[in-house]
Amino acid sequence: MDKKNCKIGVFDSGLGGVTVLKRLLEDLPYEEYIYYGDSGNAPYGSGKTKEEIQYLCKKIMDFLIENNCKVIVIACNTATVAALEYLKENYSIPIIGIIDSGSKIAIKNSTLKKVAVFSTEFTANSNAYKNTIQKYDKDFEVTQIACIEFCPMIEKGWETFQDNQEILEKYINKIPTDVDALVLGCTHYPIIKDYIEKKFNKVILDPAVELSFELKELLKKLDIVNDNNVKKKPVFFITGELDKFKPTAEKFLGEEIEIYKIPK
Ligand code: DGL
């Protein structure tokens, strides 16, 4: 089969990668996508070791490769931190992570060179954003804030949590007043961007914008852009309960999705 007609595999610990997929569908509409949401094993960002995350990512990679992918997008910051290098060492398929994209978008959009990053505990503790941003520009000040409750709340349905506003405020209050931009360093967070915006009125950055651009460049460079010009609906494989995932994903994407439950 011609590589050009193969799929793009997108994966996350659960719902978060849907925010990346949405961007990819807008920017690269003629590609065929397969989405793997490991919600049966979520969260990745708290209570798991690097090795445990690597093991889960390897299982996902094998599934996506068996299903005819030409490139893999790790639509999860935590998995990128824990496993990008490991996966690159173990697989020959091109793999794109999201930390580099999030760092570049911060560099491009903060004139004061002071940014805050909302992320999981694992990502914050790794200093991945701080190190990557400062690799590009050592003058940047980066405040990494671990928003521990966000991901489980989003997976279960953000709106139904009575104290969601208080929890949100708790983390907004940790953002230093002199930053000029906030990076959403967990792919789950664009799902609650409207809520964040109501309490933080400076620039909010979604790394998926930059990742999508980089993926486009990579496909061109490798000469594997799908030239079919036919839109195909993405197919979703989820290890957790569909009754939580499906409505939130459909609401975010604005369309009905084809979805299957698979063992975790
Ligand atoms: N969406 C994942 C990320 O970008 C995270 C979540 C989790 O499972 O903790 O880090």
Side-chain angles (χ1 to χ4, degrees):
M1 188 180 189
D2 187 348
K3 267 256 166 76
K4 291 182 179 175
N5 301 327
C6 291
K7 296 166 196 154
I8 295 178
V10 179
F11 80 84
D12 178 51
S13 63
L15 269 165
V18 172
T19 68
V20 178
L21 179 66
K22 185 174 184 181
R23 186 75 207 191
L24 300 181
L25 287 165
E26 282 164 15
D27 292 352
L28 294 157
Y30 301 118
E31 295 295 337
E32 197 178 341
Y33 298 93
I34 174 170
Y35 185 93
Y36 190 119
D38 198 10
S39 34
N41 290 305
Y44 280 10
S46 285
K48 281 192 178 57
T49 64
K50 183 177 175 178
E51 289 71 25
E52 284 167 338
I53 299 168
Q54 288 178 345
Y55 171 80
L56 293 169
C57 291
K58 191 169 181 303
K59 250 178 80 177
I60 298 171
M61 287 291 292
D62 292 339
F63 179 91
L64 293 173
I65 291 168
E66 262 170 42
N67 280 280
N68 227 355
C69 288
K70 60 183 174 186
V71 57
I72 306 292
V73 174
I74 308 182
C76 175
N77 292 264
T78 309
T80 300
V81 173
L84 177 64
E85 288 316 313
Y86 165 79
L87 296 175
K88 280 188 168 172
E89 279 164 21
N90 285 282
Y91 293 89
S92 55
I93 187 169
I95 308 169
I96 288 201
I98 194 160
I99 297 287
D100 201 58
S101 315
S103 303
K104 282 186 188 149
I105 207 166
I107 299 276
K108 286 180 189 169
N109 288 282
S110 169
T111 28
L112 296 178
K113 300 193 180 199
K114 285 189 177 112
V115 295
V117 182
F118 272 0
S119 76
T120 65
E121 197 180 4
F122 189 95
T123 302
N125 288 346
S126 74
N127 282 326
Y129 267 104
K130 188 167 188 246
N131 293 340
T132 313
I133 290 171
Q134 289 179 347
K135 181 183 84 185
Y136 290 119
D137 187 334
K138 62 174 178 24
D139 295 333
F140 257 75
E141 274 175 38
V142 182
T143 306
Q144 301 163 118
I145 301 163
C147 305
I148 297 166
E149 294 98 329
F150 282 10
C151 181
M153 285 171 75
I154 293 166
E155 283 288 322
K156 289 186 190 122
W158 177 267
E159 280 90 0
T160 56
F161 277 84
Q162 270 189 341
D163 49 357
N164 58 9
Q165 295 304 316
E166 288 74 17
I167 290 174
L168 183 55
E169 236 154 68
K170 179 174 91 182
Y171 292 109
I172 298 277
N173 290 339
K174 291 188 183 187
I175 302 173
T177 48
D178 59 350
V179 307
D180 63 354
L182 170 68
V183 179
L184 301 181
C186 169
T187 54
H188 279 70
Y189 301 169
I191 293 174
I192 58 165
K193 190 175 172 208
D194 291 351
Y195 293 91
I196 298 173
E197 245 162 16
K198 283 191 191 125
K199 296 183 189 293
F200 179 79
N201 61 1
K202 295 179 191 170
V203 176
I204 299 177
L205 301 169
D206 181 355
V209 176
E210 181 71 22
L211 182 142
S212 177
F213 170 77
E214 283 170 15
L215 177 62
K216 212 181 210 171
E217 293 303 302
L218 179 72
L219 296 178
K220 274 195 244 161
K221 193 176 107 192
L222 301 175
D223 193 22
I224 53 170
V225 176
N226 197 321
D227 47 17
N228 263 338
N229 286 4
V230 181
K231 283 190 188 176
K232 287 198 180 144
K233 278 173 87 89
V235 181
F236 291 76
F237 295 91
I238 309 300
T239 59
E241 295 311 315
L242 301 190
D243 62 335
K244 290 277 180 271
F245 188 98
K246 195 167 182 281
T248 312
E250 286 181 340
K251 190 175 164 204
F252 192 81
L253 292 172
E255 60 179 32
E256 232 181 271
I257 60 170
E258 184 182 339
I259 186 165
Y260 302 94
K261 185 167 161 57
I262 52 169
K264 64 173 187 171

